[in-house]
């Protein structure tokens, strides 16, 4: 059941600190059959509490600052990519070939936002770039056959499954044996000491250096949150894989962005790694291992490092090496069937698996930093790992919580109407244009209210600290 108490326990947090959290419950925010609003509140609340806890330690405070989770702010942040305006223009969130398609025996959903994924989809189907041609090619083929054919070509297509069909799948069985938040110790070396903090706003991650090797939503949401909290976040991308400009504008707040060929620029990467405190990766499991970027290899070269990984399906099981996105995980795990109708599959009111997992990943990093510096066994490198499909299982585990806000685990709760996102939107000038964007959902007493810098052009910064 999505509630902050269960998340906080998974993160290894002190249950007594849950009393520091209060919620403003707004019925009507993120409406869905599944408890999306409760999941979103729990993920953001746990992240804010982890930030407040680390900030209190570093500032030498006796008590942890109070955390407030407002459903309105959370709902706006979880749908932030839909509210983004760049010079008054609304970006396209899904490309024309990223959608549901009828097949001979059901439905598939494709993902073709990136040019290389689109090209592989068209190659697998042997059709031109035309929605009508794609639809015609899919109508006479079984959904599972399409799934395997497109995956075999390096593309992305997933057959619609019911919750029962997913439960019988080998990947669901592998996920069922894993916790929501995996936490592993990598070595016994002491981490770099974090200096004390003073003044306001309280920035719990100030001075923490984060190498951001992520793409699309969950990983960038996590690193954007760490940047909000004061971390020096440097995103690295391969020069030949540019990020979609609007997606970069949405998730690039607070960060710097550089390009680096991990093969040709190995010496530069090693210099960056040697001074890093955290490495966050969001590529499919194993994709970075050939560059010596497995968690174990990173920790061997940089003892005391925190490595945070996020993937679609998990780093294990028959789908452990597959690519995936939030929309596809919803289709495979039965969420699209639950949220749809007899006529057509549905979707959650937000990319909640991406956003929720992103906040959980940031929370896990913050808790790892706290444990390293202030826990019973200080130091030691750590690996934290999450998967969108595991978050999906958590979302589906049980029925909706009561509308009276009982999800706040006994903390103070208020209820207020939800009248839309307007009060949680802001505007700023940036090097990529005038932006309207969702303000941060993570909030605690004396904490930051916005990012210190807007996004700049993709790859516009030097690959250095």
């Amino acid at each position: 059941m999505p509630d902050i108490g269960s998340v906080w326990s998974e993160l290894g947090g002190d249950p007594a600190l849950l009393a520091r959290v209060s919620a403003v419950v707004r019925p009507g925010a993120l409406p869905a059959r599944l408890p999306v609003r409760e999941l979103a509140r729990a993920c953001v609340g746990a992240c804010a509490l982890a930030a407040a806890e680390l900030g209190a330690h570093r500032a030498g405070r006796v008590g942890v600052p109070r955390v407030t989770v407002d459903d309105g702010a959370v709902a706006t942040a979880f749908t932030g990519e839909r509210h983004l305006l760049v010079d008054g223009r609304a970006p396209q969130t899904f490309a024309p070939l990223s959608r549901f398609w009828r097949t001979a025996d059901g439905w598939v959903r494709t993902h073709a936002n990136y040019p290389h994924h689109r090209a592989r989809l068209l190659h697998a189907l042997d059709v031109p770039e035309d929605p009508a041609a794609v639809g015609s090619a899919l109508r006479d083929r079984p959904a599972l056959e399409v799934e395997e054919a497109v995956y075999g070509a390096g593309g992305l297509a997933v057959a619609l499954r019911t919750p029962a069909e997913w439960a019988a799948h080998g990947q669901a069985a592998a996920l069922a044996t894993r916790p929501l938040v995996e936490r592993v110790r990598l070595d016994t070396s002491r981490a770099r000491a974090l200096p004390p903090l003073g003044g306001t706003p309280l920035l719990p991650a100030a001075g923490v250096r984060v190498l951001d090797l992520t793409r699309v939503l969950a990983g960038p949401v996590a690193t954007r949150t760490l940047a909000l909290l004061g971390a020096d976040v440097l995103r690295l991308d391969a020069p030949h894989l540019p990020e979609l400009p609007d997606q970069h504008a949405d998730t690039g707040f607070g960060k710097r962005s550089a390009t680096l060929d991990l093969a040709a620029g190995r010496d530069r990467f090693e210099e960056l790694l040697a001074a890093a405190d955290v490495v966050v990766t969001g590529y499919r499991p194993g994709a970075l291992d050939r560059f010596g970027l497995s968690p174990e290899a990173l920790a061997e070269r940089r003892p005391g490092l925190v490595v945070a990984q996020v993937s679609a399906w998990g780093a294990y099981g028959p789908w452990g090496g597959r690519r995936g996105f939030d929309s596809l995980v919803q289709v495979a795990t039965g969420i699209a069937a639950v949220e749809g109708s007899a006529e057509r599959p549905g979707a959650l009111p937000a990319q909640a698996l991406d956003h929720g997992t992103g906040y959980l990943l940031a929370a896990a990093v913050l808790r790892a930093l706290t444990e390293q510096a202030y826990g019973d066994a200080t130091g030691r490198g750590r690996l934290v790992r999450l998967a969108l499909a595991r978050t999906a299982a958590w979302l589906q585990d049980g029925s909706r919580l009561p509308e009276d806000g009982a999800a706040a685990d006994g903390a103070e709760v208020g209820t207020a109407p939800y009248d839309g996102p307007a009060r949680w939107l802001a505007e700023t000038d940036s090097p990529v244009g005038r932006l309207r964007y969702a303000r941060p959902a993570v909030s605690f007493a004396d904490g930051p209210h916005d990012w210190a810098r807007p996004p700049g052009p993709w790859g516009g910064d030097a690959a250095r600290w």
Side-chain angles (χ1 to χ4, degrees):
M1 177 67 66
D3 67 277
I4 189 174
S6 62
V7 175
W8 192 242
S9 176
E10 292 251 6
L11 293 167
D14 179 358
L17 294 183
L18 290 169
R20 305 301 295 167
V21 182
S22 60
V24 179
V25 176
R26 297 183 186 271
L30 297 176
R33 292 171 182 162
L34 292 167
V36 176
R37 179 163 50 88
E38 292 83 356
L39 176 141
R41 183 194 305 142
C43 293
V44 172
C47 184
L49 185 57
E53 178 194 30
L54 178 59
H57 278 297
R58 294 189 65 186
R61 297 189 180 187
V62 175
V64 171
R66 292 203 63 86
V67 169
T68 301
V69 190
D70 191 311
D71 281 355
V74 172
T76 304
F78 266 56
T79 53
E81 63 274 11
R82 302 179 193 173
H83 301 303
L84 178 71
L85 294 179
V86 182
D87 289 330
R89 174 186 56 82
Q92 181 184 58
T93 54
F94 284 102
L97 299 185
S98 296
R99 47 166 284 194
F100 284 108
W101 306 88
R102 274 202 177 275
T103 64
D105 58 353
W107 296 84
V108 296
R109 181 152 188 167
T110 55
H111 196 288
N113 284 6
Y114 287 101
H116 57 293
H117 291 155
R118 182 167 61 250
R120 293 167 186 171
L121 171 67
L122 297 173
H123 173 72
L125 300 178
D126 192 24
V127 295
E129 188 175 339
D130 173 54
V134 172
S136 177
L138 292 175
R139 271 192 294 271
D140 297 328
R141 301 178 66 175
L144 291 177
E145 178 186 299
V146 172
E147 178 181 276
E148 290 304 314
V150 174
Y151 170 72
L156 292 150
V158 172
L160 177 71
R161 291 170 172 83
T162 65
E165 289 169 337
W166 177 247
H169 193 281
Q171 192 61 29
L175 289 164
T177 66
R178 303 284 178 147
L180 176 64
V181 182
E182 294 185 60
R183 302 184 298 134
V184 179
R185 287 182 176 173
L186 289 174
D187 59 52
T188 58
S189 300
R190 293 191 65 85
R192 182 172 70 91
L194 298 177
L197 297 177
T200 54
L202 183 63
L203 298 173
V208 175
R209 288 174 170 168
V210 178
L211 277 180
D212 178 0
L213 307 178
T214 69
R215 290 177 73 80
V216 198
L217 214 45
V221 164
T223 52
R224 182 182 66 184
T225 303
L226 295 173
L228 168 74
L229 299 170
D232 181 3
V233 179
L234 177 62
R235 172 163 167 169
L236 295 178
D237 284 286
H240 66 283
L241 289 175
E243 184 58 281
L244 302 175
D246 293 334
Q247 195 160 267
H248 174 71
D250 178 44
T251 60
F253 280 86
K255 311 177 193 179
R256 291 178 296 121
S257 169
T259 59
L260 184 67
D261 185 317
L262 291 177
R266 187 55 179 265
D267 290 344
R268 174 54 58 88
F269 179 82
E270 294 302 320
E271 291 173 3
L272 293 170
L273 176 63
D277 301 294
V278 179
V279 174
V280 184
T281 68
Y283 291 78
R284 62 186 175 87
L288 298 177
D289 290 6
R290 69 184 187 275
F291 299 108
L293 300 182
S294 70
E296 296 76 14
L298 289 168
E300 182 177 349
R301 302 200 306 279
R302 173 64 175 88
L305 187 71
V306 174
V307 181
Q309 289 186 322
V310 62
S311 63
W313 310 106
Y316 34 74
W319 282 15
R322 291 203 174 194
R323 300 171 179 86
F325 295 93
D326 180 305
S327 58
L328 303 182
V329 175
Q330 290 188 41
V331 172
T333 60
I335 290 174
V338 170
E339 294 292 336
S341 65
E343 291 75 32
R344 185 175 178 83
L348 298 176
Q351 294 188 66
L353 306 180
D354 261 334
H355 284 276
T357 307
Y359 286 108
L360 290 180
L361 192 67
V365 169
L366 295 165
R367 288 249 59 250
L369 293 170
T370 298
E371 290 176 345
Q372 282 186 330
Y374 308 104
D376 293 336
T378 56
R380 301 185 181 181
R382 282 166 169 78
L383 166 64
V384 296
R385 181 184 282 152
L386 288 101
L388 303 190
R390 183 62 185 84
T391 304
W394 181 49
L395 173 65
Q396 297 175 85
D397 183 18
S399 58
R400 175 175 289 280
L401 292 167
E403 290 291 335
D404 62 3
D409 301 295
E412 175 189 344
V413 176
T415 304
Y418 178 65
D419 53 4
R423 74 175 76 178
W424 295 286
L425 297 174
E427 293 194 11
T428 187
D429 290 316
S430 80
V432 298
R434 179 74 178 173
L435 301 179
R436 187 188 74 175
Y437 63 99
R439 290 162 47 199
V442 170
S443 178
F444 57 92
D446 295 332
H449 297 292
D450 210 336
W451 289 275
R453 55 178 285 171
W458 177 83
D461 297 293
R464 62 169 179 259
W465 294 116

